[in-house]
Amino acid sequence: MRNFRPFLKTVIVLSICGFGWRCSSNQNTVTGDIYHNTTAHFNGYFYAKEKILEIEKTITQGQDDDPNQILRLFPKLDTALAKSYRKDTEEAIKMASISIQRHPNSRWLDDNYLLVGLARLYDCDFQNAIQTFKFVNTKGKDPNVRHEAIVHLIRTFTENGDFPRAEEAFQFLEKEKLSDANTKRLFLEKAYYYQVRGDFDNMVRNLSAVDTLLTRADRKGRIYFIIGQVYQQLGFRFEAYGYYRKCLATNPEYEIDFYARLNMAQVAELDNDKNRRLIRNQFEKLLKDTKNAEFKDKIYYELGEFERKQGNLDEAIAAYKLAAHAGKNRRIQGNAFLRTGEIYFDSLRKFSPAKAYYDSAVASLPKDIEGYEAISKRQKVLGDFVTYTETIQWQDSLLALASLDSTSLRHRVDSTLTARQPKEDTKKKKKRRAESASDTRQTSTLYQTESTSTTDWYFGNLSAVSTGQSEFRRIWGNISLEDNWRRSTKTANAAPALSAGATATQPTTGESAPETKATEAPDAAFNELYKAIPRTEDARASALSKIEEAYFKLGDLYYFQLEEKANATQSYEMLLSRFPASEYKPEVLYKLYLIYKEKEDGLASTYAEQLKREFPTSTYTKILLNPDYLKETSVAQEKQKLIYRDAYADFQRNNLRGTQEKLRQANSIGETQFTPQLQLLQILITGKTEDVTRYQYELGEFIKKYPEGKLHSYAEELLTSSRTFQEKTERARGIRFAVSLDEPHYFVVVHRIYDQASGEIAQRLDKLNIEQFKKHNLVSTNLIFDDQLALTFVGDLPTLQEALAYLQSFESRLAKEKPFSTLNFHNFVITKDNFNIFYRNKALDEYLSFFDRYYKK
């Protein structure tokens, strides 16, 4: 107690002195420094730091990881997510700013500015974040804080897509002497920069270099996992395996742990059967582990990958099918369908099942995955393949049935339906036997989807129940759940039949229902088929035309898409055999000539002679005789381009007659690939010489005639612009601005919200107000105009002369300086009354026309 009294006196004295210190923020005494440093640290800085940590936690939780792809080192900053924590960023900036204002000489000043910069970075306010970090770097006293500011500047430049400046920043830091903490931050930021740029080689170099500096707080296991992923993608299996092991040694979060084990199986060296068995045992253990229940689809998928790499295609397909049905992850499901389709397409060359799996893959996979366009393209190719083959089969069947009379046709249909039923029953029996044999034979858990956990209760033991079901199916088959299931004849469900001594009586309604349903199905099938049969000459010609086109397109698909020239030859030759006068014959003969020429087969000359004899004026004959034919055609095209250049120059000078004469000269050369350009210029002349309706009609026809290419897009833009202008013109007739201009005015700058320049524009205008128009006490105000544009306006300018003077000062001085020199904006003066009309109607284009007409004079 005796020792406590001096301490208490000291505390009281210091507290009394504190009241005197608190009033002066510029106190340079020792006690003043202690007070300001302590208060700045444990008040503003502490609470701002806590808010920044909460924001970082929110960003991390919002990260959508896909372990099938290389994980992002840092979460991508997103403006949509930033809105959810904007109150926290504003609070962090507020607390740090209070500390800066009240304690400007504390040693926590730079740290507070650093927190302001981080808050702006996380708020996606990149420009202000850059300015803040630059301020810390130039004005800061602590070199470590200055270096940390540049590290955060690298992140800001990277997120903003300003890669050259990011590279300049980290090259500067590489020459500086950094603390361990800043060295670690620099390596991580460089690695993230290279990841965003897609340079995985330099990314993994920086991550490897930071290894010794990492702590558990840095989520070290996740970083090791990312390094393993990069090495695996680059093909360094041994290094990848090592980093996955290091990842597991850190005891990471469960999902990372799980995927690290799976990836280790992918990169493990499999030199012999023993190693392969070990990997299969590893998969089996993963499937047995109840903690992996939600990851079964992924385990089966990786098992399929493993079997595919070993060349065990049947086992791979079985595993992929289990993966597709074992979980709800659409991405894994889509990849499983895709892999199965690839096996059928690339290895087994079975295109019909491949098409079905590609359909499922495209329906399941997200459209933003890498290679989606190629997957979709192959799906379309397979879809076309099935369409063409089914068209040939269906139309041939219909033509064969057309030659039968009604009785024979009905007999053929009934025979087909009757024959189909036993086959389906046989297939079902075979399937049941196969399932039974598989259930009896299969002891491994690799290809089973049910849990093998044991329990005392029979129906709680899924393994026992599954075995019982298999044994029951083996003996009894698939029996529906109903009464008297063991009886061969069941009175409740038996079809009505007349015994030998029974009297024929009218059946009851309940007894006739099965018979009615049995007869309705064949009748419906027959009627539908009968309607599709081509009876008339026109219908038969249409069916033959469909077959002809299908053979031609099937041949092209084999030739160009699937690169199977033997099948392409078969399709082309079948086309010529069945349709000797086909419109596709010249092109088919030329393609057969090319195929056999490549094989150095004598048939090449046969097809060449036939093409020259039967189609001497065909384009394909000209190409055959003159390999430079296409080049010479391009010469004509170049001549048209030269004439077009002069014609377009006349058009720009409004010499429309000269333009039309040159267009006639260019068209007289003949039709080439450049002809659409000439036609579009003729339409532009129509737009100047005839009414807008005619102009829009011709543009619409041009768009229909040329549905692809740059000219199509340009013509659509012209048509849209014409219609928009017409609508605005009609709307402007209903907007009337007041012509009385000798009234108080506003000066207005209209700029894009996307540029985030409202604050800077207002500051520059306020500076102009003070320097040149101080007597008017002008005020700058920001206002949202619409979804894309914002307004910054200055008021009140008392007279028209003052408004024009302000406009002249702005255009002669500020408009040439930043930020205006880098922005796309409009500026004008406007009366208060007209401003109300302008803002209410969002009539920017209309007022700009009014401004040009009445003010610029």
Side-chain angles (χ1 to χ4, degrees), residues 77-90:
L77 298 181
D78 178 58
T79 53
L81 180 62
K83 291 179 182 178
S84 67
Y85 55 75
R86 181 149 295 161
K87 288 184 179 179
D88 290 333
T89 56
E90 291 173 352

Side-chain angles (χ1 to χ4, degrees), residues 27-186:
Q27 189 72 258
N28 291 324
T29 62
V30 173
T31 52
D33 289 344
I34 293 172
Y35 167 74
H36 287 297
N37 287 333
T38 303
T39 309
H41 181 198
F42 292 105
N43 283 346
Y45 175 81
F46 175 80
Y47 289 113
K49 181 69 174 178
E50 288 297 307
K51 285 295 179 184
I52 292 295
L53 292 175
E54 289 179 18
I55 292 167
E56 290 175 344
K57 184 177 179 181
T58 302
I59 294 172
T60 301
Q61 290 174 345
Q63 188 172 13
D64 183 19
D65 279 341
D66 176 15
N68 296 306
Q69 308 293 329
I70 294 176
L71 299 183
R72 290 183 70 92
L73 193 56
F74 298 130
K76 182 174 177 59
L77 298 181
D78 178 58
T79 53
L81 180 62
K83 291 179 182 178
S84 67
Y85 55 75
R86 181 149 295 161
K87 288 184 179 179
D88 290 333
T89 56
E90 291 173 352
E91 184 68 16
I93 292 172
K94 176 183 174 182
M95 298 307 299
S97 299
I98 289 174
S99 181
I100 291 168
Q101 291 168 4
R102 294 182 181 176
H103 312 289
N105 293 323
S106 76
R107 59 189 178 89
W108 293 96
L109 183 69
D110 298 342
D111 301 86
N112 278 303
Y113 273 116
L114 204 63
L115 293 181
V116 172
L118 279 173
R120 288 171 172 169
L121 168 62
Y122 294 147
D123 197 35
C124 298
D125 185 3
F126 298 126
Q127 295 303 321
N128 285 323
I130 290 169
Q131 295 302 321
T132 306
F133 292 136
K134 284 184 176 180
F135 177 83
V136 176
N137 178 47
T138 55
K139 302 294 184 180
K141 297 177 182 178
D142 186 346
N144 289 329
V145 178
R146 293 204 308 271
H147 293 155
E148 186 177 351
I150 299 177
V151 170
H152 294 315
L153 198 58
I154 295 170
R155 174 77 180 279
T156 311
F157 286 141
T158 302
E159 292 289 349
N160 200 30
D162 193 349
F163 301 120
R165 294 173 72 185
E167 196 162 348
E168 289 174 8
F170 69 65
Q171 286 175 352
F172 170 78
L173 279 184
E174 288 171 346
K175 301 173 185 177
E176 297 287 303
K177 186 176 180 180
L178 305 178
S179 65
D180 286 348
N182 281 329
T183 301
K184 177 175 67 176
R185 293 189 186 103
L186 176 60

